[in-house]
Amino acid sequence: MSHYNKFAEVYDYVHGSRHKTISYLKNILQQYHPSAGKILDLACGTGSISYGLAKDYFVTGLDNSSGMLRIAR
């Protein structure tokens, strides 16, 4: 069992807004791989960053924590 399962419910609250991270990643992708259409988000957690990127990309998220994935779904 992943320790993150217990932390999953409050993970996004503790980490706060992910808007800056999403914006940063979009800028990096545009700069270095502007034709990218798909993203593999390893250790996606609750999917908050994946969700923000999914507006412009096809995103697949993977995580070892079933609790995190439950929230991401």
Side-chain angles (χ1 to χ4, degrees), residues 12-65:
D12 288 328
Y13 176 76
V14 170
H15 286 281
S17 173
R18 301 305 257 238
H19 294 295
K20 287 183 182 180
T21 303
I22 293 164
S23 179
Y24 173 75
L25 291 171
K26 284 182 180 183
N27 286 334
I28 293 282
L29 287 162
Q30 284 299 310
Q31 183 177 356
Y32 293 103
H33 196 359
S35 63
K38 297 178 183 179
I39 294 174
L40 175 59
D41 185 359
L42 298 174
C44 68
T46 62
S48 58
I49 294 173
S50 296
Y51 181 77
L53 293 172
K55 295 173 184 167
D56 300 304
Y57 302 93
F58 180 84
V59 181
T60 300
L62 296 174
D63 201 281
N64 191 40
S65 166

